[in-house]
Amino acid sequence: MFGFKKKDGQDILNPLNINKNSMVEFKLKELEEQGFFTFGKIIQMDVGQRPFTRYLVYSRSEETEYVFEVYKGEEEGQLETYLYFLDDTVPFSEEFLDVVGQKCITTPDGTEYERCTMPEYDYRIDGVQGSLKVYDLNSEKIEYESEVEVWDYQRDAEGITEYLNIEMLKTNGMFRIFIGQRFEGSLYKVYQGMEEK
């Protein structure tokens, strides 16, 4: 179940075994009216203790992009899934780098998030180092590779844990800020597309 997509000798972690004709439907209240989403890219993230996959999915009814994040679960065949949207991008600056990694971070709208993991005595720690590889489903080629640093935050939002992830690409220093939440496997359905010969 936790497979690799192989085309032209290129491997990419693809736990949902999707192809460019696959679609996904979310049963989340915020997305129910948007219908089916198509897959555009597969992003393999080798960050932290276990690699994971991000799928860029696009709404067919609105021109909206989401990040569908999938980890291999603790038990065989189980998947841990998250859905994020890209909230903001910030060009590299030393000032912003000083902010990320602190115990708490406050967004411009006043929402406060706390680091998911933090040493007991440090006020700031570096992000988790790793790499990413972007596979384009239409061209069937690796489009981009980069070293990456990731900081994870969370907050309680009316009984739901909301996550804020800050990711810095080492190739250009760009920060990307994602906001989202974890959801159960029963809240999405993947429709496998036919592979073209």
Side-chain angles (χ1 to χ4, degrees):
M1 177 159 194
F2 203 61
F4 285 84
K5 175 131 185 98
K6 271 190 157 174
K7 282 277 184 173
D8 303 326
Q10 307 205 8
D11 295 342
I12 195 83
L13 195 58
N14 183 13
L16 298 177
N17 294 315
I18 60 100
N19 60 55
K20 67 181 177 182
N21 297 313
S22 299
M23 292 186 288
V24 62
E25 181 180 23
F26 295 105
K27 296 176 182 132
L28 299 168
K29 187 169 45 172
E30 308 84 22
L31 302 178
E32 278 180 336
E33 294 179 12
Q34 293 193 32
F36 293 101
F37 287 74
T38 58
F39 291 88
K41 298 181 191 302
I42 303 173
I43 304 170
Q44 180 175 318
M45 303 286 292
D46 291 307
V47 177
Q49 298 294 320
R50 55 187 178 153
F52 59 97
T53 301
R54 285 181 171 168
Y55 296 97
L56 289 187
V57 294
Y58 302 90
S59 168
R60 300 185 87 175
S61 63
E62 298 178 16
E63 293 187 10
T64 310
E65 175 184 295
Y66 289 90
V67 175
F68 183 25
E69 192 170 274
V70 180
Y71 289 83
K72 184 176 182 181
E74 299 292 321
E75 297 174 23
E76 186 64 34
Q78 180 188 28
L79 297 176
E80 189 177 309
T81 52
Y82 299 80
L83 191 67
Y84 293 95
F85 67 92
L86 179 63
D87 185 58
D88 203 359
T89 57
V90 178
F92 180 81
S93 73
E94 289 292 338
E95 294 82 14
F96 193 75
L97 186 59
D98 287 342
V99 170
V100 297
Q102 294 182 14
K103 181 171 175 55
C104 293
I105 193 168
T106 304
T107 62
D109 68 0
T111 306
E112 187 171 290
Y113 293 84
E114 189 172 328
R115 268 307 282 271
C116 291
T117 55
M118 193 76 192
E120 193 173 341
Y121 300 108
D122 293 348
Y123 74 96
R124 183 190 188 287
I125 58 171
D126 291 333
V128 180
Q129 309 276 332
S131 64
L132 63 79
K133 186 171 16 176
V134 179
Y135 178 85
D136 184 271
L137 284 162
N138 288 315
S139 69
E140 298 182 336
K141 292 187 173 17
I142 300 294
E143 181 178 270
Y144 186 78
E145 295 185 60
S146 177
E147 297 298 309
V148 67
E149 192 167 353
V150 178
W151 295 266
D152 293 316
Y153 293 85
Q154 65 184 25
R155 75 177 183 108
D156 180 54
E158 300 173 13
I160 296 170
T161 302
E162 184 177 85
Y163 296 95
L164 179 134
N165 300 105
I166 301 173
E167 168 186 293
M168 182 183 75
L169 298 175
K170 295 292 185 98
T171 49
N172 60 14
M174 181 66 74
F175 292 97
R176 297 188 303 173
I177 303 165
F178 299 94
I179 295 176
Q181 66 187 44
R182 183 176 178 179
F183 64 101
E184 300 301 319
S186 62
L187 297 176
Y188 72 91
K189 182 170 176 63
V190 174
Y191 298 89
Q192 298 297 341
M194 296 293 290
E195 284 271 21
E196 294 174 4
K197 302 283 182 190

